[in-house]
Amino acid sequence: MLWEETQALMEQLATGDRVIFTGKRPDIPRFLSIADLFILASTGDEGAPIAIQEAMSVGVPVITTNTPGNRDQLDTLPDQLIPPSDANAIARAIDRMLALDQEQRHAIISQQWDIIDKRYSLKEEVRQHEALYRSLVNLEEL
């Protein structure tokens, strides 16, 4: 049902020549890396969407809604968080991000890479798992 509704909306908006539904793809980083922006307009709590991390890791500025899982990933970049279900806020954020010069854009990308490195790198994941296992061992010894 969703597919038919989406197709009808595309025809209504005359976006058929600009929107492509590719289906499942193994080469998402390649597509993300050529994007000007990545926008995730969630309306509810989706947990911690990996798509945000994927976009940040390939150097694409992220705009996302201020929902729990999204906010947790971009808490140090509040200007990139927008209210859920607010199309005008999304449009303003897109306009603001596209108006950045190269230096400003690079600064945002660098901040996003810092988030990836400090929170989601393999080294950090291993450290967090080790800490969890150590805490579990300490609990068993009590």
Side-chain angles (χ1 to χ4, degrees), residues 1-132:
M1 182 66 172
L2 183 57
W3 176 250
E4 290 82 15
E5 291 173 6
T6 304
Q7 290 287 60
L9 181 60
M10 284 176 52
E11 288 175 22
Q12 177 186 349
L13 298 174
T15 60
D17 61 334
R18 296 181 308 232
V19 177
I20 300 169
F21 289 95
T22 65
K24 187 174 181 174
R25 299 288 307 229
D27 53 350
I28 297 302
R30 182 172 71 96
F31 283 101
L32 286 173
S33 68
I34 61 173
D36 293 321
L37 295 174
F38 176 82
I39 301 157
L40 182 62
S42 306
T43 57
D45 184 6
E46 296 186 35
I50 190 110
I52 292 173
Q53 296 166 33
E54 290 172 332
M56 289 193 302
S57 71
V58 297
V60 178
V62 172
I63 297 169
T64 190
T65 46
N66 193 355
T67 57
N70 300 347
R71 179 175 50 245
D72 293 344
Q73 295 182 66
L74 288 172
D75 58 347
T76 60
L77 300 170
D79 290 344
Q80 291 171 241
L81 296 169
I82 52 175
S85 302
D86 186 341
N88 290 326
I90 293 171
R92 285 190 306 273
I94 291 169
D95 287 343
R96 185 178 64 245
M97 194 68 75
L98 292 176
L100 296 176
D101 63 31
Q102 281 297 86
E103 187 175 316
Q104 294 167 318
R105 182 179 169 86
H106 184 61
I108 288 172
I109 291 169
S110 292
Q111 291 173 307
Q112 291 180 169
W113 280 335
D114 286 344
I115 291 170
I116 291 295
D117 185 52
K118 291 176 181 161
R119 298 183 190 176
Y120 305 108
S121 67
L122 179 58
K123 181 179 178 180
E124 180 58 20
E125 293 289 330
V126 168
R127 188 198 67 73
Q128 289 180 20
H129 278 84
E130 284 178 348
L132 173 64

